[in-house]
Amino acid sequence: MEFNEFDLHPHVAAGVKAAGYLTPTPIQCQAIPTVLKGSDVMGLAQTGTGKTAAFVLPILHRLIQGPRGRVRALIIAPTRELAEQTHESIGSLGKQTRLRSITVYGGVAMNPQIQKLRNGAEIVVACPGRLLDHINQRSINLSHLEALVLDEADRMFDMGFLPDIRKIISHVPVKRQTLMFSATMPDDIRRLAHEVLHAPVTVQVDHAAPANTVAHALYPVEQHLKTSLLLELLRHTDTDSVLVFTRTKHRAKRVGQQLEKSGYRAVSLQGNLSQNKRQSALDGFRKGAYQILVATDIAARGIDVSSISHVINYDMPDTADAYTHRIGRTGRAAKTGDAFTFITREDNDMVRSIERILGEKVEHRILEGFDYKTQSAAQKHTGPHAGRTVKRRFGTIALSPSR
Ligand code: AMP
C-alpha cells in the first residue's frame, strides 16, 4: 500500500513527504482509510508502530475543510511528553494545513494556556487533569468537537486517569468520531471502549509483542556489578542513542552521575525534576547533546526518540507489559535496535513471562573480558560464604554464545 492511495488532501500529503515517510506502516494501512470514512476505531498498537500518524493524518485531512478558530479535535494523552510529541507531529505533518494545535498539561502555568486557547486552535493535545481544570474554569469550549482521540488508553488507566476521562467525555458532543489507541486490552479498557466508541472498527498490529525489528539479549549479572557491566558494555558496543531504565529514581540519578563521571554525555530523568529540567533533558537527548538518558518507567513514559539504538534495562521491569513499553522505544518504525536486560537470579520468573510474550527464548550473553568475580564490599566481609563466584551463582542458567 502507498500513501497516495489514501487520497489525502495535498497539504497533508506534503507533510507526509516532508517527514520522509515512504510507505505507510501496518497500523497506518489499516487505520487511515477507516478513520477517513468516519468510523470509530479501536487501535491495538504500541508505541513505535506509527500509530500517531495513523490518527493525525486523517484528522488533519478532515479539519482542512470547515471552520477555523474553534476546538474541533481533542487528543488526550497520559503524559506531557507524549502530548508534546503528538503536538510536534501535528506541527510537522500539518505544516501546510495552517491548522493550529496547542498543548494543555499540568506542571506549568495555567494562564499562557488560557491565552493560547483564547487565540484559537483547532486541535488540542491534552493530559486529563489539566484539561478538566480548563473545563471547570470554562476556559475551553469543547461544544464544537468533531474528533476525540484517547491515546495510550491502558497507560491512562494505569495512572488512574479513567475517572477524569469519563468526566471529560461527559463534556463533549455525543455526535463525534472517537478513536482509541492502547497497547493492551485489559477489562477496564474494554469497558471504556464499549462506553465511548460507537460501532468501532478494531485495527490491530503485533498484539502486545515488541516491534520485531528489535534484537533482545539477557545479561546475567550480580546486582553490585551492574554499573561496571553497563560501562563495559557501552565500551564494547557501537551505540547511537541509549535509553537506560532503572527501577528507582535514586538509582536513575546515581547511574546517570556515574556515566557522566566516566566521560559519557549522560543525563537522568526522574520524577523529581521540574518541568523545565525534564524538557531540557529530553530535548538534549532528542537532539543528540546527550547520548545516554537514564530514566525510570514513569519518567520515561511517552519518550519518542526515533534514533534510539539501544534500550538497556539496568533493572528488570516489574511486568512483561512494561518490558514491551520500554522496548517500544527502540527499533521504531522501520529502524532496528537492541534491547539488553541485566538479570539477577530474582528475575527468572519475569524472564519467562517476557519469553512467553516474545514467543521465543531470549539469548543469554556473557560479556567477554568482564570480571564477573569482583566481590561487593558486603561479600568481602561476610565470612565463609563470601566470594562465591558468579559462575556458581548462575550455574543453572544456560549461557548461549554471544552473537
Ligand atoms: P509512533 O508509534 O507514532 O510513536 O511512531 C514511531 C516513529 O515512527 C516516529 O518517530 C514516527 O515519526 C515514525 N513513523 C511513523 N510513520 C512512519 C512511516 N510511515 N515511515 C517511517 N517512519 C514513520
Side-chain angles (χ1 to χ4, degrees):
M1 191 158 217
E2 301 292 327
F3 272 109
N4 58 20
E5 290 174 53
F6 300 139
D7 234 353
L8 292 166
H9 187 284
H11 288 169
V12 182
V16 173
K17 194 159 176 232
Y21 299 170
L22 299 177
T23 47
T25 64
I27 191 77
Q28 290 163 1
C29 291
Q30 292 182 51
I32 292 176
T34 317
V35 182
L36 285 172
K37 264 192 244 151
S39 300
D40 281 5
V41 166
M42 176 69 234
L44 274 161
Q46 64 201 67
T47 186
T49 52
K51 68 179 166 62
T52 313
F55 63 78
V56 165
L57 293 172
I59 286 180
L60 290 170
H61 176 91
R62 172 188 188 138
L63 299 188
I64 281 185
Q65 312 289 339
R68 302 270 166 138
R70 46 168 83 159
V71 182
R72 295 168 60 202
L74 171 65
I75 297 157
I76 306 183
T79 62
R80 316 178 252 216
E81 284 77 19
L82 183 62
E84 277 298 336
Q85 274 159 31
T86 306
H87 168 71
E88 278 168 29
S89 297
I90 295 167
S92 60
L93 292 171
K95 198 159 181 199
Q96 288 208 14
T97 65
R98 298 186 168 269
L99 289 160
R100 283 163 300 172
S101 155
I102 63 167
T103 51
V104 160
Y105 47 71
V108 293
M110 187 101 175
N111 278 339
Q113 291 175 356
I114 296 178
Q115 198 50 51
K116 280 192 287 180
L117 284 162
R118 271 200 201 124
N119 292 345
E122 293 76 34
I123 307 173
V124 172
V125 190
C127 296
R130 178 57 67 89
L131 177 61
L132 256 188
D133 293 342
H134 282 287
I135 291 175
N136 292 336
Q137 290 194 16
R138 299 178 197 280
S139 41
I140 189 166
N141 177 358
L142 295 173
S143 63
H144 300 289
L145 200 75
E146 298 168 35
L148 171 70
V149 181
L150 302 176
D151 197 9
E152 301 206 351
D154 49 352
R155 289 275 139 200
M156 296 209 270
F157 166 68
D158 286 348
M159 293 168 83
F161 282 140
L162 279 206
D164 284 0
I165 286 170
R166 290 202 164 90
K167 276 187 212 140
I168 292 165
I169 288 174
S170 72
H171 286 89
V172 304
V174 176
K175 191 172 169 314
R176 59 167 196 263
Q177 182 177 26
T178 310
L179 316 173
M180 188 158 139
F181 287 83
S182 191
T184 57
M185 199 67 175
D187 284 347
D188 293 87
I189 296 302
R190 207 177 293 278
R191 260 195 299 279
L192 181 71
H194 195 71
E195 283 168 39
V196 304
L197 301 173
H198 176 69
V201 175
T202 301
V203 298
Q204 179 170 4
V205 292
D206 275 349
H207 179 63
N212 54 13
T213 45
V214 178
H216 307 259
L218 301 171
Y219 286 85
V221 64
E222 293 210 54
Q223 187 66 35
H224 72 278
L225 292 176
K226 282 183 173 179
T227 303
S228 324
L229 181 66
L230 177 63
L231 289 168
E232 194 68 11
L233 197 56
L234 288 169
R235 245 197 308 281
H236 288 268
T237 316
D238 195 10
T239 57
D240 223 336
S241 281
V242 186
L243 185 53
V244 178
F245 282 99
T246 61
R247 185 163 289 151
T248 65
K249 48 192 178 188
H250 301 292
R251 207 174 278 175
K253 190 171 171 188
R254 210 189 55 228
V255 172
Q257 285 166 344
Q258 281 163 331
L259 287 169
E260 235 188 311
K261 234 189 268 165
S262 305
Y264 287 98
R265 287 176 287 115
V267 68
S268 60
L269 198 64
Q270 330 121 39
N272 289 349
L273 294 183
S274 68
Q275 177 60 14
N276 274 351
K277 287 216 170 112
R278 276 167 83 85
Q279 201 59 49
S280 87
L282 275 173
D283 288 346
F285 185 53
R286 200 170 291 137
K287 292 185 184 132
Y290 299 113
Q291 189 207 352
I292 306 174
L293 178 70
V294 191
T296 57
D297 288 289
I298 300 256
R301 271 185 191 148
I303 289 180
D304 169 13
V305 177
S306 46
S307 63
I308 291 176
S309 64
H310 290 72
V311 166
I312 301 182
N313 294 315
Y314 184 97
D315 294 313
M316 181 63 112
D318 291 331
T319 63
D321 259 0
Y323 181 84
T324 302
H325 274 279
R326 287 183 180 184
I327 302 315
R329 273 50 181 258
T330 186
R332 303 179 75 82
K335 300 209 173 81
T336 55
D338 281 323
F340 298 154
T341 303
F342 293 176
I343 53 166
T344 64
R345 274 185 307 176
E346 291 83 62
D347 297 324
N348 284 345
D349 286 346
M350 193 49 67
V351 169
R352 274 191 288 277
S353 305
I354 289 168
E355 288 179 335
R356 257 198 305 279
I357 280 199
L358 295 176
E360 60 187 24
K361 284 241 167 281
V362 181
E363 180 188 341
H364 287 69
R365 291 190 195 165
I366 28 175
L367 188 63
E368 250 171 71
F370 180 70
D371 181 8
Y372 282 93
K373 295 196 184 113
T374 314
Q375 296 166 19
S376 68
Q379 281 173 327
K380 278 181 192 154
H381 302 291
T382 45
H385 299 298
R388 282 180 299 173
T389 63
V390 169
K391 211 166 164 199
R392 270 178 61 202
R393 290 202 148 204
F394 290 107
T396 53
I397 296 174
L399 297 171
S400 55
S402 54
R403 301 194 290 192

